[in-house]
Amino acid sequence: MKEYKLAIVGATGLVGRSFIKILEERKLPIKEYSLFASKKSAGKIINILGKNCVVKELTENSFDEGFDFALFSAGGDTAKKYAPIASSKNCIVIDNSSAFRMENDVPLVVPEVNFDDVKNHKGIIANPNCSTIQAMLPLKALDNKYVIKRVIYSTYQAVSGAGRYGLEDLENIDNSKPLKKFPHPIYNNCLPHIDVFMNNGYTKEEMKMINETRKILHKPQLSITATTVRVPVTNSHSESINVEFEKSFEVDDLFNTLKSFPNIVLIDEPKSNLYPLAINATGHDEVFVGRVRRDESVFSGVNLWVVADNIRKGAATNAVQIVEGLIKQGLK
Ligand code: A2P
């Protein structure tokens, strides 16, 4: 069996470390790993599958040694500069930043939903935004059956999505240190503000959810609105999703449709207080769906509560699944 060489860019970050963990768990046929980060991390040692690996500074020559794949999670600016260099050297880049997501020749992929889109890649494949990824599984399942007409997202997003500095701000409970990531304290607070504000009054995070959903579901005209909120939760994003359909549905059939979709776990026993929770989703790769109930205010609509580990399925696991799919289908 062919064995591959893989680079991780941003290996010292939250998602970067998760790439390593998930690659170890899923046992891909990779014979050699190389880890890259900024200059300040050069020389750090990270253990991967029992071997100590020295973190190297990312430079323009980093990809000269020839990699099959590079997983990037080092922010948009780093991706814009280095992903084209990597892909020019025949390395397939899976980038976790928003730098390339909306480019026409860059597939934006959630493997359970639109894996076939990878076939059009030109060297760079984008990993969607964390809050978009987890919404895509139930939305695709329901769109296949009832045809989605409109979506309203309201998110409750964990601070781990803001990287290490976000977590440090949450730990700063007495406000004794200057904030590193957020414009206001996140401890004991909710911030209706993720990423920067755009001219239309939405945040960039909200526009990412709207535009990425349309691209992944191949529905460029879909009516969607979103409010994204950072909450004082360490890890795992929760989302309230209201969906309207073209077609009518029976609730039992809708439950079965969700349950039979790959990597959705339905937890919906309100009488026993059972529904998806951030603390239970953390450490898992599935998307947890519950509080499923008819929206009685419209002809055909449903409310869902959708929870997933934003660092795993919302970032690292999704990217590793893309690599796995490429290998399994002989696309590299
Ligand atoms: P470093 O640790 O050396 O700063 P997080 O999102 O958790 O903050 O992690 C961001 C990741 O991206 C880290 O691994 C960080 O490395 C890396 N990174 C940031 N800027 C650069 C850069 N200019 N070149 C390479 N890696 C970078």
Side-chain angles (χ1 to χ4, degrees):
M1 193 192 198
K2 189 170 168 192
E3 289 192 310
Y4 300 86
K5 277 178 77 172
L6 182 144
I8 296 178
V9 176
T12 51
L14 282 182
V15 174
R17 291 199 180 250
S18 232
F19 282 146
I20 294 170
K21 206 153 131 210
I22 289 156
L23 286 161
E24 288 182 325
E25 289 169 9
R26 296 175 87 105
K27 302 187 169 54
L28 274 71
I30 289 167
K31 66 170 187 292
E32 212 179 307
Y33 294 93
S34 288
L35 307 181
F36 297 100
S38 76
K39 189 173 183 172
K40 77 169 198 279
S41 300
K44 273 192 184 161
I45 306 284
I46 295 183
N47 192 281
I48 178 159
L49 285 161
K51 272 195 204 159
N52 281 336
C53 201
V54 183
V55 176
K56 289 176 266 187
E57 179 190 354
L58 182 69
T59 68
E60 286 171 16
N61 303 321
S62 294
F63 302 95
D64 289 356
E65 56 178 288
F67 294 104
D68 298 291
F69 302 104
L71 297 177
F72 272 60
S73 191
D77 292 341
T78 306
K80 274 188 202 145
K81 180 164 177 197
Y82 294 98
I85 298 177
S87 75
S88 75
K89 301 199 167 146
N90 206 25
C91 165
I92 300 181
V93 172
I94 293 102
D95 176 40
N96 194 47
S97 81
S98 61
F100 303 103
R101 288 181 190 150
M102 297 312 298
E103 307 237 327
N104 283 335
D105 58 355
V106 174
L108 182 66
V109 175
V110 179
E112 295 87 344
V113 174
N114 65 333
F115 184 77
D116 281 352
D117 288 357
V118 294
K119 291 176 182 153
N120 303 321
H121 82 80
K122 307 265 183 305
I124 300 175
I125 298 166
N127 215 30
N129 177 261
C130 46
S131 41
T132 310
I133 290 178
Q134 69 186 68
M136 287 304 92
L137 278 67
L139 288 188
K140 178 65 177 173
L142 298 176
D143 189 50
N144 286 344
K145 199 85 191 262
Y146 314 115
V147 187
I148 292 176
K149 192 165 118 186
R150 181 169 189 237
V151 177
I152 304 172
Y153 288 128
S154 308
T155 71
Y156 305 73
Q157 296 184 220
V159 294
S160 59
R164 289 166 295 177
Y165 294 142
L167 285 169
E168 287 182 31
D169 281 356
L170 179 61
E171 284 158 11
N172 184 9
I173 57 176
D174 56 0
N175 230 354
S176 58
K177 291 177 238 152
L179 294 168
K180 288 191 168 170
K181 187 75 193 182
F182 302 119
H184 305 283
I186 183 65
Y187 177 74
N188 210 17
N189 212 358
C190 295
L191 308 180
H193 176 184
I194 302 182
D195 211 329
V196 295
F197 280 101
M198 316 287 285
N199 288 337
N200 64 358
Y202 281 71
T203 61
K204 197 169 168 197
E205 183 82 353
E206 290 159 351
M207 293 313 299
K208 284 179 206 166
M209 285 195 84
I210 292 168
N211 294 326
E212 293 178 22
T213 297
R214 290 178 175 147
K215 180 166 174 174
I216 295 164
L217 295 180
H218 303 156
K219 286 178 164 268
Q221 306 301 330
L222 185 62
S223 297
I224 318 179
T225 191
T227 302
T228 59
V229 180
R230 189 74 70 190
V231 295
V233 166
T234 305
N235 195 57
S236 289
H237 291 347
S238 305
E239 299 179 353
S240 158
I241 310 182
N242 177 270
V243 198
E244 251 188 279
F245 304 116
E246 302 279 358
K247 298 185 182 172
S248 60
F249 68 90
E250 296 301 328
V251 173
D252 283 355
D253 183 58
L254 187 142
F255 268 90
N256 288 330
T257 302
L258 288 170
K259 254 197 285 197
S260 49
F261 198 81
N263 293 331
I264 288 183
V265 177
L266 196 67
I267 304 177
D268 202 0
E269 295 176 42
K271 289 194 181 111
S272 316
N273 298 339
L274 288 177
Y275 30 74
L277 291 174
I279 51 174
N280 296 336
T282 289
H284 296 275
D285 291 322
E286 296 88 354
V287 172
F288 299 87
V289 181
R291 299 295 326 279
V292 180
R293 64 217 188 273
R294 189 182 287 281
D295 174 355
E296 293 172 342
S297 70
V298 292
F299 157 69
S300 178
V302 72
N303 287 302
L304 311 170
W305 179 248
V306 178
V307 182
D309 185 325
N310 54 299
I311 299 291
R312 290 182 69 103
K313 181 56 185 163
T317 301
N318 197 75
V320 173
Q321 283 177 302
I322 294 172
V323 174
E324 246 171 10
L326 290 165
I327 293 175
K328 272 193 196 138
Q329 298 207 11
L331 297 170
K332 177 71 190 176

